[in-house]
Amino acid sequence: MNRQGNPAVLAQARRRDSLDKRQRALTALTALERDDTKITHAAVARTARVSTWLTYTDGIREHIQTARHRQATTPPPPPTQGTPTTPAGLRAELHLARQEIKELRQERDRLRDALRHQLGQQLDTLHAPDPTHRVDELTRNNHQLADQLQHATEDNAALRHRTASLEEDLAAARTSLRRMIRDENLNQ
């Protein structure tokens, strides 16, 4: 055994802690349903003092969905006479309603983004050209450019040859002109 502890003991402690949290969540769900309090993942997590993430895990989520369905299909009890609504109760209900609205807005935004992404992908596939036509087009363009390059290279070589010939002619004309000027100067 090492100084940090036995891994089996640590794993067992984590399992006990996980089971305890799950049991607290189920107990809180039962209490909320019994008290006819609106059941949400946040309300169960708050009542059980666990993370909201835990309420979305398998084994808990199904119970919450079932309880929410039962709560939605069960008609509300008639209001009892003489039971005043307290400001604290109204504040708690308002807080829960705001939290649920916030969660619903986040879910709406996630769904909207997912739908937008999916529609964008569908539009991309609809308007995408057939790859074989694009390859054929690029191949034709490549051949045309190769032909143009070959013609330009041949023209360039011919122009260089012509330029060299003209430079030789110019040099010969200058030499001839110098001789003529020298001969003319000598004759005078």
Side-chain angles (χ1 to χ4, degrees):
M1 184 165 77
N2 60 22
R3 290 179 168 252
Q4 296 176 345
N6 187 344
V9 172
L10 292 174
Q12 187 178 17
R14 281 193 301 270
R15 273 192 297 277
R16 273 195 313 266
D17 185 47
S18 176
L19 288 174
D20 177 55
K21 287 179 181 178
R22 287 174 173 269
Q23 185 58 48
R24 286 194 335 240
L26 292 174
T27 303
L29 177 62
T30 304
L32 288 172
E33 194 171 11
R34 182 188 61 234
D35 295 342
D36 200 31
T37 304
K38 181 154 179 68
I39 296 173
T40 63
H41 288 272
V44 172
R46 191 175 34 260
T47 305
R49 296 183 325 276
V50 296
S51 70
T52 306
W53 174 85
L54 179 71
T55 64
Y56 284 98
T57 60
D58 293 336
I60 303 292
R61 180 184 63 241
E62 295 84 8
H63 290 285
I64 292 175
Q65 287 173 344
T66 303
R68 288 178 75 171
H69 179 69
R70 276 193 307 266
Q71 199 174 48
T73 57
T74 304
T80 57
Q81 293 292 337
T83 309
T85 306
T86 64
L90 290 175
R91 279 194 296 275
E93 286 183 33
L94 179 62
H95 177 71
L96 289 174
R98 285 181 177 161
Q99 204 162 17
E100 188 173 359
I101 289 170
K102 180 180 173 185
E103 290 173 2
L104 289 172
R105 284 181 179 157
Q106 289 172 345
E107 183 178 0
R108 177 205 59 201
D109 292 343
R110 280 192 305 270
L111 291 172
R112 183 185 296 153
D113 290 342
L115 182 61
R116 207 177 274 150
H117 181 70
Q118 186 178 8
L119 286 174
Q121 285 180 334
Q122 288 177 354
L123 286 174
D124 287 345
T125 58
L126 284 176
H127 297 301
D130 186 20
T132 56
H133 293 301
R134 182 71 177 139
V135 168
D136 292 342
E137 179 185 342
L138 290 173
T139 304
R140 279 193 306 275
N141 288 346
N142 189 22
H143 288 305
Q144 288 174 352
L145 290 173
D147 290 342
Q148 289 175 1
L149 177 63
Q150 182 179 0
H151 291 305
T153 304
E154 290 171 359
D155 289 346
N156 189 9
L159 289 173
R160 283 178 188 250
H161 179 68
R162 175 85 173 129
T163 302
S165 174
L166 290 174
E167 285 176 349
E168 288 175 7
D169 290 347
L170 180 62
R174 284 181 182 159
T175 304
S176 175
L177 183 62
R178 276 192 219 115
R179 280 187 196 153
M180 283 177 46
I181 293 173
R182 188 172 15 119
D183 288 345
E184 186 67 33
N185 284 338
L186 287 177
N187 288 339
Q188 288 181 354

